[in-house]
Amino acid sequence: MNVFLWTVAGPLALVFGAAGAMKLGRTGQQPAASGLGWTADAGDGTVRLIGAAGVAGALGLILPALLDTAEVPVAAAARGLAVLMAGAAVVHGRRKEPQMIAVNAILFALTVVVAWGRLGPYAF
């Protein structure tokens, strides 16, 4: 089960880290022009905060596990990313973007699996 959790957490960290870094590195209308239409409705500060949360969550999925320090930070990061995806699904629902809701739902489910596995019966 540990291998399975790593194969889920690794790609999740890449997805959230890359998406978060992209949100942190762009300003103004740049994210909206690249397909993130919701950023036009949100302020730069909100977009950067969401990007920082994604990067922090990505680091939280990997670093504690790599350093073999504790399971709790990994599970906390996974739960935080699950909350982030639930909020994203609400935003995309209001914007009537069902394809993005599907992506959010998949990422939500994967983060819940990691949180359950690392805090529950399959801690490292």
Side-chain angles (χ1 to χ4, degrees):
M1 189 64 165
N2 189 41
V3 172
F4 171 74
L5 289 172
W6 270 109
T7 59
V8 173
L12 276 176
L14 288 174
V15 167
F16 281 107
M22 190 262 313
K23 290 174 187 124
L24 282 172
R26 295 188 180 180
T27 59
Q29 295 300 317
Q30 290 174 332
S34 67
L36 299 175
W38 64 269
T39 60
D41 300 336
D44 283 347
T46 302
V47 174
R48 287 178 192 247
L49 179 65
I50 293 169
V55 170
L59 292 173
L61 286 176
I62 299 297
L63 287 180
L66 279 179
L67 301 174
D68 199 21
T69 57
E71 297 84 7
V72 175
V74 176
R79 287 190 307 249
L81 291 172
V83 169
L84 192 66
M85 286 299 96
V90 169
V91 168
H92 290 302
R94 289 181 180 165
R95 294 181 51 84
K96 301 191 182 352
E97 299 171 337
Q99 69 280 12
M100 294 307 296
I101 296 171
V103 171
N104 297 141
I106 291 167
L107 292 173
F108 174 84
L110 292 173
T111 56
V112 168
V113 166
V114 171
W116 168 80
R118 288 300 182 205
L119 195 56
Y122 302 105
F124 40 81

